[in-house]
Amino acid sequence: MAWLIRFKARSLASATRPLRDTLDSYRCSQSHFSGFTTDDSVRSFPRKWLCSKAMRLNDVDDIQSRSSSSPEITRRPSVSASSNSLGVGLQEVTGSKLNLFDELKQRFLSFKHHKYLEELEHFETLKEAQTPKFMVIACADSRVCPSTILGFRPGEAFMIRNVANLVPPLQKGPSETNAALEFAVKTLQVENILIIGHSCCGGIQTLMSMQDNSDSSFIKTWVTNGKNAKLTTESAANHLSFDQQCRLCEKESINMSLMNLLTYPWIKEKVKKEMLFVHGGYYDFLNCTFEKWTLDFKGGSDEEKGRFFVKDQQLWC
């Protein structure tokens, strides 16, 4: 019986030899699979499974290779090659950032040599304390820099910049804007508060385009502080285009913020005593003009209706 089993085993081996030779000809090297790891779990996969997987990948890469007795598998880019190309990209991005800061470095050094050292006496006085005459509230827009537009030197203006240069009323609660106002008026004893608006203000455009049921965001929540200016503009200029309404609202929001300043008792008291003056300004960077006006508190303001009179209205062009 044993000799019969051995005989059948040899016969079976001889019968399957052509199939095994065919499988050996399709043997796949692990280096052809960029997506496989080299751990034991991959090595333990049946050879037949690996080869059929390789053939499926080959179908996409090179159909003609099927006609050969031992088809080649197109090798995908190695991880090292991808890393090299990525490294070049990162170097380019990093280089651009370094170039930007190199430029800033040169600007700082130019400031130091042509401003700081030449006006050393002025900067020495700033080491002790600051005594600005102005508190400026301007928009955060990068095109609107009060120091550049109006030529403020260091120490001359205490500034706060926010979206759409808004001043919320006292009852709206604390914010960084009224915190800065409190410091400027109570501690620094500034003599002037200047609110500067500007043309093409994105914050005002957001305010004017908002719907009551629109989704909330940080920006939309903030610009609702100018809602009264929006309502006034829409009521008076609903026949005008959207851009024209925005331009009017840009100025109306400044007047509304001037009125909101008077909701702070420590500001209103000083304005009444003419110890503090509040002004509006509008910078039109489309034609480089600047409008300036001053709130005339004694001239007869109507705070309940949100109206006030102005004086010293000027256009600088």
Side-chain angles (χ1 to χ4, degrees):
M1 181 64 70
W3 67 267
L4 181 59
I5 294 174
R6 287 194 296 271
F7 174 78
K8 290 185 176 181
R10 286 195 296 269
S11 299
L12 180 62
S14 298
T16 59
R17 182 179 299 280
L19 176 63
R20 286 188 285 111
D21 291 340
T22 302
L23 290 175
D24 288 339
S25 67
Y26 283 89
R27 182 173 299 171
C28 304
S29 172
Q30 251 184 316
S31 63
H32 289 91
F33 300 98
S34 61
F36 292 153
T37 58
T38 57
D39 59 13
D40 293 336
S41 63
V42 174
R43 294 194 183 100
S44 65
F45 287 149
R47 182 190 303 168
K48 180 178 180 180
W49 184 90
L50 286 176
C51 290
S52 63
K53 179 70 173 178
M55 291 181 69
R56 286 197 296 272
L57 293 174
N58 237 11
D59 289 343
V60 178
D61 294 332
D62 191 0
I63 297 176
Q64 293 180 349
S65 64
R66 291 183 178 183
S67 60
S68 64
S69 60
S70 180
E72 295 181 359
I73 299 175
T74 304
R75 190 184 298 267
R76 295 180 180 178
S78 64
V79 175
S80 61
S82 300
S83 299
N84 291 337
S85 61
L86 180 61
V88 173
L90 288 176
Q91 290 176 1
E92 291 177 354
V93 173
T94 305
S96 64
K97 289 183 178 179
L98 290 176
N99 290 337
L100 288 175
F101 279 96
D102 285 342
E103 183 179 348
L104 290 181
K105 174 184 176 182
Q106 295 305 318
R107 292 184 186 183
F108 168 74
L109 294 177
S110 177
F111 158 76
K112 180 175 181 179
H113 293 294
H114 298 99
K115 291 289 184 180
Y116 184 87
L117 294 178
E118 291 182 4
E119 303 176 23
L120 188 58
E121 184 178 351
H122 171 70
F123 284 97
E124 288 291 337
T125 61
L126 297 180
K127 293 181 181 180
E128 304 298 328
Q130 58 172 324
T131 56
K133 302 296 183 183
F134 280 90
M135 161 68 175
V136 175
I137 301 171
C139 185
D141 194 301
S142 61
R143 299 166 292 183
V144 184
C145 177
S147 293
T148 300
I149 298 167
L150 300 176
F152 287 116
R153 299 169 67 203
E156 290 184 341
F158 185 79
M159 296 189 187
I160 182 73
R161 298 182 68 174
N162 63 44
V163 175
N165 45 269
L166 296 172
V167 176
L170 177 64
Q171 59 268 26
K172 284 295 186 73
S175 70
E176 72 280 1
T177 298
N178 49 35
L181 275 169
E182 183 177 41
F183 181 74
V185 174
K186 291 186 175 182
T187 303
L188 298 179
Q189 304 286 317
V190 296
E191 299 175 2
N192 300 276
I193 299 176
L194 173 60
I195 301 175
I196 302 176
H198 67 95
S199 56
C200 305
C201 180
I204 296 300
Q205 291 173 3
T206 299
L207 172 66
M208 291 298 295
S209 61
M210 281 177 54
Q211 303 297 325
D212 291 337
N213 58 352
S214 61
D215 296 333
S216 62
S217 67
F218 289 128
I219 295 176
K220 291 180 179 179
T221 300
W222 170 254
V223 297
T224 51
N225 286 305
K227 186 176 181 179
N228 289 338
K230 174 186 178 180
L231 295 176
T232 301
T233 301
E234 290 177 337
S235 175
N238 58 0
H239 61 288
L240 299 178
S241 67
F242 178 77
D243 289 340
Q244 291 173 322
Q245 290 185 33
C246 286
R247 185 176 180 86
L248 291 175
C249 191
E250 287 164 356
K251 297 181 180 181
E252 183 61 30
S253 67
I254 300 171
N255 292 332
M256 181 209 66
S257 289
L258 290 173
M259 290 298 299
N260 287 344
L261 287 174
L262 300 180
T263 65
Y264 298 86
W266 30 274
I267 292 180
K268 184 176 181 179
E269 181 182 0
K270 286 197 169 188
V271 171
K272 278 186 175 181
K273 296 179 179 179
E274 295 189 338
M275 299 172 62
L276 176 65
F277 298 91
V278 292
H279 317 270
Y282 181 80
Y283 171 52
D284 187 344
F285 56 70
L286 298 177
N287 53 24
C288 196
T289 60
F290 193 92
E291 296 179 51
K292 174 264 177 189
W293 61 94
T294 301
L295 185 147
D296 185 7
F297 187 82
K298 288 188 175 181
S301 63
D302 190 346
E303 296 176 49
E304 293 182 359
K305 296 182 179 180
R307 295 198 303 262
F308 65 92
F309 295 93
V310 299
K311 62 182 179 180
D312 299 332
Q313 196 165 6
Q314 302 174 22
L315 175 63
W316 305 337
C317 58

